Amino acid sequence: MSTRMRLLSSGESVRSARLSRRQLLRRGLVATGAVALVGGWPGQAAFAQGSGQVTGYFGTFNDLTGKKEGWPSLEHDEVNDSLWQMIMKTGAADNTHMQFANVDAGADQSKQVQNAINFITQGYSAIYINTGTAAGWDQVIQQASAAGVLTMNHSPDALTGATQNVVIDHAQAGNLNAQAAASWANANGVTPVAATLAILNSVPLKLRTDTFKRSLSSLMPQVTFYEDVAVPLNNPNASAAAAQNLLNAHPDINILFCYNDDTATAVATALGQQGIADPTQFWIGGVDGNNSALQNIASGSSTQQATAAFFFGYSAAALQSDVEKILSGQKVPPTRALLPQLATGDNVQSVMTQSNGALDPQYKSLYDTLIHYFDQPLVTGRPLPSVITGGGG
């Protein structure tokens, strides 16, 4: 499962990009209480295996009875809560007997940081981090490192020095949508005129729309692009209004790529009410693979026709497996990328089934496709990894 990865910045060409692999975690006490350091990745303390062994879904691990993992959540929502639930389910499936605890910060990031520090001082072995910005987390990483506590970061921004940074492949999400848009245009005899609804002040999210434009231009040199339309983050209604204004100003547009699925769904609804509802004449793509997007795609009657689906349940399960590996004395790379799967009308039913199969043995081979590791630690604000190998994918 070794591959090569390429770090792509938001303004960099996707040509000749390459890939690699990653994941990680830090320390633990063996069942006998004896601790023996063995070789690990830089900044990662690996420990020799103890006498008590257990076997579960992801393999054989130390019996981690007494080890505790904490989630200092920023706030509760459907996606983040489902990730934490999968982390706990994976611990149970691997029979490692770890204990889990969650303390919520009520959307106050300074309180979230303090809750993380509290887990460290209370003797937790690992912390799962999912946060809004990198502000304040340097002190958490430093204290955790000094105490031998694993810091597993699954946030939009990388955290310098974390045991493991997990990121999603934003560039590939844009690239897959470009492939779908090109296929749609060719199938329907459409000359492509395109635009994007973008988050221009976020390097990762902008990488989605930037790569979409580069890849579609490579696949269909005749495409015309209007300038990106900046929309507010996580405000589907405002994005829908922006799309309506865009189409009023440029009625020749027939391809619209949205930075996420919540936006794409709202736009498809709004434009449908405006009379733009023929999926053979107008194409909308998005990112995430949420239920509403997949249902629209499955209907065959919506202009929302593609999404780059991230199977987040698999990422959460892989994260917990890495925690167990490190606490069992195994080496795990310090960076991991979650790759998206393109969902269109041709395969949406299987995508919906597979996305819920993170601990289903029949889908275990998907981890080789979805999960990629590499040995280079990430740094806050620096380029993110992608598996793109060329302008057209």
Side-chain angles (χ1 to χ4, degrees):
M1 288 176 57
S2 177
T3 55
R4 295 178 299 171
M5 296 196 82
R6 177 77 158 90
L7 298 182
L8 292 182
S9 66
S10 61
E12 182 179 336
S13 171
V14 296
R15 293 189 181 277
S16 302
R18 293 160 80 157
L19 56 138
S20 207
R21 296 208 150 195
R22 70 225 176 160
Q23 232 174 6
L24 69 52
L25 273 140
R26 285 202 47 151
R27 116 173 195 191
L29 300 178
V30 298
T32 61
V35 177
L37 284 170
V38 296
W41 300 96
Q44 174 188 147
F47 286 73
Q49 295 187 359
S51 57
Q53 299 282 291
V54 298
T55 300
Y57 185 80
F58 283 106
T60 299
F61 307 97
N62 281 4
D63 185 331
L64 301 176
T65 299
K67 300 285 187 249
K68 296 182 292 184
E69 184 172 344
W71 178 33
S73 57
L74 178 61
E75 57 186 337
H76 289 293
D77 61 40
E78 181 180 353
V79 173
N80 288 330
D81 287 354
S82 68
L83 289 172
W84 181 240
Q85 289 295 322
M86 182 56 68
I87 285 172
M88 294 190 290
K89 288 178 180 177
T90 303
D94 282 337
N95 302 308
T96 53
H97 306 119
M98 285 195 74
Q99 297 174 290
F100 300 89
N102 164 237
V103 177
D104 192 67
D108 183 342
Q109 186 165 307
S110 62
K111 185 176 180 180
Q112 183 191 23
V113 167
Q114 184 57 54
N115 288 340
I117 292 172
N118 291 344
F119 279 132
I120 296 169
T121 59
Q122 291 165 14
Y124 278 65
S125 298
I127 299 172
Y128 166 58
I129 301 172
N130 191 312
T131 191
T133 73
W137 287 97
D138 53 344
Q139 60 180 312
V140 175
I141 301 300
Q142 291 169 9
Q143 291 190 40
S145 179
V149 177
L150 308 183
T151 47
M152 309 300 290
N153 178 43
H154 202 309
S155 305
D157 291 306
L159 299 179
T160 303
T163 303
Q164 183 179 65
N165 280 295
V166 180
V167 298
I168 62 178
D169 195 331
H170 300 277
Q172 179 69 339
N175 185 53
L176 291 177
N177 269 278
Q179 294 177 28
S183 294
W184 171 85
N186 286 327
N188 290 284
V190 172
T191 300
V193 180
T196 72
L197 299 186
I199 304 297
L200 300 182
N201 61 354
S202 167
V203 171
L205 297 181
K206 188 172 183 290
L207 191 52
R208 300 177 180 184
T209 46
D210 284 351
T211 308
F212 174 81
K213 291 187 294 183
R214 284 194 294 267
S215 293
L216 186 56
S217 294
S218 175
L219 291 165
M220 305 195 78
Q222 71 272 34
V223 65
T224 298
F225 271 103
Y226 288 103
E227 288 189 11
D228 295 322
V229 176
V231 294
L233 181 67
N234 295 332
N235 192 328
N237 290 335
S239 296
Q244 289 174 311
N245 292 335
L246 174 66
L247 268 293
N248 288 336
H250 304 290
D252 55 335
I253 290 174
N254 50 39
I255 290 176
L256 189 59
F257 174 53
C258 303
Y259 78 93
N260 73 2
D261 278 342
D262 284 343
T263 299
T265 300
V267 167
T269 299
L271 294 185
Q273 294 170 350
Q274 198 172 313
I276 302 172
D278 185 348
T280 68
Q281 297 299 311
F282 201 91
W283 181 95
I284 297 174
V287 177
D288 282 338
N290 65 23
N291 287 332
S292 59
L294 295 175
Q295 289 168 4
N296 277 350
I297 294 168
S299 74
S301 60
S302 173
T303 55
Q304 187 174 9
Q305 299 180 68
T307 184
F310 284 105
F311 292 3
F312 290 112
Y314 290 75
S315 187
L319 184 146
Q320 180 58 26
S321 172
D322 283 351
V323 168
E324 295 160 349
K325 288 176 182 176
I326 294 174
L327 293 179
S328 298
Q330 302 174 40
K331 293 196 298 184
V332 180
T335 307
R336 173 166 63 82
L338 174 65
L339 273 64
Q341 299 295 291
L342 178 64
T344 66
D346 292 335
N347 70 339
V348 65
Q349 296 296 338
S350 63
V351 167
M352 287 192 284
T353 302
Q354 292 170 353
S355 65
N356 295 316
L359 295 178
D360 188 329
Q362 69 175 312
Y363 298 125
K364 196 170 184 179
S365 62
L366 273 177
Y367 284 92
D368 292 335
T369 300
L370 299 171
I371 303 296
H372 290 261
Y373 297 86
F374 72 99
D375 300 343
Q376 180 181 348
L378 295 184
V379 175
T380 302
R382 299 293 295 275
L384 298 176
S386 178
V387 298
I388 293 176
T389 56

